[in-house]
Coordinates of all heavy atoms in Angstrom, one line a residue:
Y167 N 6.4 -8.5 7.7 CA 7.5 -7.7 8.3 C 8.9 -8.5 8.2 O 8.9 -9.7 8.6 CB 7.3 -7.4 9.8 CG 6.0 -6.6 9.9 CD1 4.8 -7.2 10.1 CD2 6.0 -5.2 9.9 CE1 3.6 -6.5 10.3 CE2 4.9 -4.5 10.1 CZ 3.7 -5.1 10.2 OH 2.5 -4.4 10.4
Y168 N 9.9 -7.9 7.6 CA 11.2 -8.5 7.4 C 12.2 -7.8 8.4 O 12.1 -6.6 8.6 CB 11.7 -8.3 6.0 CG 10.9 -9.1 5.0 CD1 9.8 -8.6 4.3 CD2 11.3 -10.4 4.6 CE1 9.1 -9.4 3.4 CE2 10.7 -11.1 3.7 CZ 9.6 -10.6 3.1 OH 8.9 -11.4 2.1
A169 N 13.1 -8.6 8.8 CA 14.3 -8.0 9.5 C 15.1 -7.2 8.6 O 15.2 -7.5 7.4 CB 15.1 -9.1 10.1
D170 N 15.6 -6.1 9.1 CA 16.4 -5.2 8.2 C 17.6 -6.0 7.5 O 17.9 -5.7 6.4 CB 17.0 -4.0 9.0 CG 15.9 -3.1 9.4 OD1 14.8 -3.1 8.8 OD2 16.2 -2.3 10.4
S171 N 18.1 -6.9 8.2 CA 19.3 -7.7 7.7 C 19.0 -8.5 6.5 O 19.9 -8.9 5.7 CB 19.9 -8.5 8.8 OG 18.9 -9.5 9.2
V172 N 17.7 -8.8 6.2 CA 17.3 -9.6 5.1 C 16.4 -9.0 4.0 O 16.1 -9.5 3.0 CB 16.6 -10.9 5.6 CG1 17.5 -11.6 6.6 CG2 15.2 -10.6 6.1
K173 N 16.1 -7.7 4.3 CA 15.2 -7.0 3.4 C 15.9 -6.9 2.0 O 17.1 -6.6 1.9 CB 14.9 -5.6 3.9 CG 13.8 -5.6 5.0 CD 13.6 -4.1 5.4 CE 12.5 -4.1 6.5 NZ 12.3 -2.7 7.0
G174 N 15.1 -7.2 1.0 CA 15.6 -7.1 -0.4 C 16.3 -8.4 -0.8 O 16.6 -8.6 -2.0
R175 N 16.6 -9.3 0.1 CA 17.2 -10.6 -0.2 C 16.3 -11.8 0.0 O 16.4 -12.8 -0.7 CB 18.5 -10.7 0.6 CG 19.5 -9.6 0.4 CD 20.8 -10.0 1.1 NE 20.7 -10.1 2.5 CZ 21.0 -11.2 3.2 NH1 21.5 -12.3 2.6 NH2 20.9 -11.2 4.5
F176 N 15.5 -11.7 1.0 CA 14.6 -12.9 1.4 C 13.2 -12.5 1.1 O 12.8 -11.3 1.2 CB 14.7 -13.2 2.9 CG 16.0 -13.8 3.4 CD1 17.1 -13.8 2.5 CD2 16.1 -14.3 4.6 CE1 18.3 -14.3 3.0 CE2 17.3 -14.9 5.1 CZ 18.4 -14.9 4.3
T177 N 12.4 -13.5 0.6 CA 11.0 -13.3 0.3 C 10.2 -14.5 0.8 O 10.5 -15.6 0.6 CB 10.8 -13.2 -1.2 OG1 11.6 -12.1 -1.7 CG2 9.3 -12.9 -1.5
I178 N 9.2 -14.2 1.6 CA 8.3 -15.2 2.1 C 7.1 -15.3 1.1 O 6.6 -14.4 0.5 CB 7.8 -14.9 3.5 CG1 7.1 -16.1 4.1 CG2 6.9 -13.7 3.5 CD1 6.9 -16.0 5.6
S179 N 6.6 -16.6 0.9 CA 5.4 -16.8 0.1 C 4.6 -18.0 0.7 O 5.2 -18.7 1.5 CB 5.8 -17.1 -1.4 OG 6.6 -18.3 -1.5
K180 N 3.4 -18.1 0.3 CA 2.5 -19.1 0.8 C 1.8 -19.8 -0.3 O 1.3 -19.2 -1.3 CB 1.5 -18.4 1.7 CG 2.1 -17.8 3.0 CD 1.2 -16.7 3.6 CE 1.4 -15.4 2.9 NZ 0.6 -14.3 3.4
D181 N 1.7 -21.1 -0.2 CA 0.9 -21.9 -1.1 C -0.2 -22.5 -0.3 O -0.1 -23.5 0.4 CB 1.7 -23.0 -1.7 CG 1.0 -23.8 -2.8 OD1 -0.2 -23.9 -2.7 OD2 1.7 -24.3 -3.7
N182 N -1.4 -21.8 -0.3 CA -2.5 -22.2 0.6 C -3.0 -23.6 0.3 O -3.3 -24.3 1.3 CB -3.6 -21.1 0.5 CG -3.2 -19.8 1.2 OD1 -2.4 -19.8 2.1 ND2 -3.7 -18.7 0.7
P183 N -3.2 -24.0 -0.9 CA -3.7 -25.4 -1.2 C -2.8 -26.4 -0.6 O -3.2 -27.5 -0.2 CB -3.8 -25.4 -2.7 CG -4.0 -24.0 -3.1 CD -3.1 -23.2 -2.2
K184 N -1.5 -26.1 -0.6 CA -0.5 -27.1 -0.1 C -0.2 -26.9 1.4 O 0.6 -27.6 2.0 CB 0.8 -27.0 -0.9 CG 0.6 -27.5 -2.3 CD 2.0 -27.5 -3.0 CE 1.9 -28.0 -4.5 NZ 3.2 -28.0 -5.2
N185 N -0.8 -25.9 2.0 CA -0.5 -25.6 3.4 C 1.0 -25.5 3.6 O 1.6 -26.1 4.6 CB -1.1 -26.6 4.3 CG -2.6 -26.4 4.5 OD1 -3.1 -25.3 4.2 ND2 -3.2 -27.4 5.1
T186 N 1.7 -24.8 2.7 CA 3.1 -24.7 2.8 C 3.6 -23.2 2.7 O 3.0 -22.4 2.0 CB 3.8 -25.5 1.7 OG1 3.4 -26.8 1.8 CG2 5.3 -25.4 1.8
I187 N 4.6 -22.9 3.5 CA 5.1 -21.5 3.5 C 6.6 -21.7 3.1 O 7.3 -22.6 3.5 CB 5.1 -20.9 4.9 CG1 3.7 -20.8 5.4 CG2 5.8 -19.6 5.0 CD1 3.5 -20.5 6.9
Y188 N 7.0 -20.8 2.2 CA 8.3 -20.8 1.6 C 9.1 -19.6 2.1 O 8.6 -18.5 2.3 CB 8.3 -20.9 0.1 CG 7.5 -22.1 -0.4 CD1 6.2 -21.9 -0.9 CD2 8.1 -23.3 -0.5 CE1 5.5 -23.0 -1.3 CE2 7.4 -24.4 -1.0 CZ 6.1 -24.3 -1.4 OH 5.4 -25.3 -1.9
L189 N 10.4 -19.7 2.1 CA 11.3 -18.6 2.4 C 12.4 -18.7 1.3 O 13.3 -19.6 1.3 CB 12.0 -18.7 3.8 CG 12.9 -17.5 4.1 CD1 12.1 -16.2 4.1 CD2 13.6 -17.7 5.4
Q190 N 12.3 -17.8 0.3 CA 13.3 -17.7 -0.8 C 14.4 -16.8 -0.3 O 14.2 -15.7 0.1 CB 12.7 -17.2 -2.0 CG 13.7 -17.0 -3.2 CD 14.2 -18.4 -3.7 OE1 13.4 -19.3 -3.8 NE2 15.5 -18.4 -3.9
M191 N 15.6 -17.4 -0.3 CA 16.8 -16.6 0.3 C 17.8 -16.5 -0.9 O 18.3 -17.4 -1.4 CB 17.4 -17.4 1.4 CG 16.4 -17.7 2.6 SD 17.2 -18.4 4.0 CE 17.8 -19.9 3.3
N192 N 18.0 -15.2 -1.3 CA 19.0 -14.9 -2.3 C 20.1 -14.1 -1.8 O 20.0 -13.5 -0.7 CB 18.3 -14.1 -3.4 CG 17.1 -14.9 -4.1 OD1 17.2 -16.1 -4.2 ND2 16.1 -14.2 -4.5
S193 N 21.2 -14.0 -2.5 CA 22.4 -13.2 -2.1 C 22.8 -13.6 -0.7 O 23.0 -12.7 0.1 CB 22.1 -11.7 -2.3 OG 21.7 -11.4 -3.6
L194 N 22.9 -14.8 -0.5 CA 23.2 -15.3 0.9 C 24.6 -14.8 1.3 O 25.5 -14.8 0.5 CB 23.1 -16.8 1.0 CG 21.6 -17.3 1.1 CD1 21.5 -18.8 0.7 CD2 21.1 -17.0 2.5
K195 N 24.7 -14.5 2.6 CA 26.0 -14.1 3.2 C 26.4 -15.1 4.3 O 25.5 -15.8 4.8 CB 25.8 -12.7 3.8 CG 25.2 -11.6 2.9 CD 25.0 -10.3 3.6 CE 24.4 -9.3 2.7 NZ 24.2 -8.0 3.4
A196 N 27.6 -15.0 4.7 CA 28.1 -15.9 5.7 C 27.3 -15.7 7.0 O 27.1 -16.7 7.8 CB 29.6 -15.7 5.9
E197 N 26.9 -14.5 7.3 CA 26.2 -14.2 8.5 C 24.8 -14.7 8.5 O 24.1 -14.6 9.5 CB 26.2 -12.7 8.8 CG 25.8 -11.8 7.6 CD 27.0 -11.3 6.9 OE1 27.9 -12.0 6.6 OE2 26.9 -10.1 6.5
D198 N 24.3 -15.2 7.4 CA 23.0 -15.9 7.3 C 23.1 -17.3 7.9 O 22.0 -18.0 8.0 CB 22.4 -15.9 5.9 CG 22.1 -14.5 5.4 OD1 21.6 -13.7 6.2 OD2 22.4 -14.2 4.2
T199 N 24.2 -17.8 8.1 CA 24.4 -19.2 8.6 C 23.7 -19.3 10.0 O 24.0 -18.5 10.9 CB 25.9 -19.5 8.8 OG1 26.5 -19.5 7.5 CG2 26.1 -20.9 9.4
A200 N 22.8 -20.2 10.1 CA 22.0 -20.4 11.3 C 21.1 -21.6 11.1 O 20.9 -22.1 10.0 CB 21.2 -19.2 11.6
M201 N 20.5 -22.0 12.2 CA 19.3 -23.0 12.1 C 18.1 -22.1 11.9 O 17.9 -21.2 12.6 CB 19.3 -23.8 13.4 CG 18.2 -24.8 13.4 SD 18.6 -26.2 12.3 CE 19.7 -27.1 13.4
Y202 N 17.3 -22.5 10.9 CA 16.1 -21.7 10.6 C 14.9 -22.5 11.0 O 14.7 -23.7 10.8 CB 16.0 -21.5 9.1 CG 17.0 -20.4 8.7 CD1 18.3 -20.5 8.7 CD2 16.5 -19.1 8.3 CE1 19.2 -19.5 8.3 CE2 17.3 -18.1 7.9 CZ 18.7 -18.3 7.9 OH 19.5 -17.3 7.5
Y203 N 14.0 -21.8 11.7 CA 12.8 -22.4 12.3 C 11.5 -21.7 11.7 O 11.5 -20.5 11.6 CB 12.8 -22.3 13.8 CG 13.9 -22.9 14.5 CD1 15.1 -22.3 14.8 CD2 13.8 -24.3 14.9 CE1 16.1 -22.9 15.4 CE2 14.8 -24.9 15.6 CZ 16.0 -24.2 15.8 OH 17.0 -24.8 16.5
C204 N 10.5 -22.5 11.5 CA 9.2 -22.0 11.2 C 8.4 -22.0 12.5 O 8.5 -23.0 13.3 CB 8.6 -22.9 10.1 SG 6.9 -22.4 9.6
A205 N 7.5 -21.0 12.7 CA 6.8 -20.9 13.9 C 5.4 -20.4 13.7 O 5.2 -19.6 12.7 CB 7.5 -20.1 15.0

């Protein structure tokens, strides 16, 4: 589930062997400025 504000611009992916989650952020806007947390 994506927030409406990032749909079409952000994509989450997972690399299970590496136990890593990625967040690809494209077409970034000034309003995307923030501290980002994984949870």
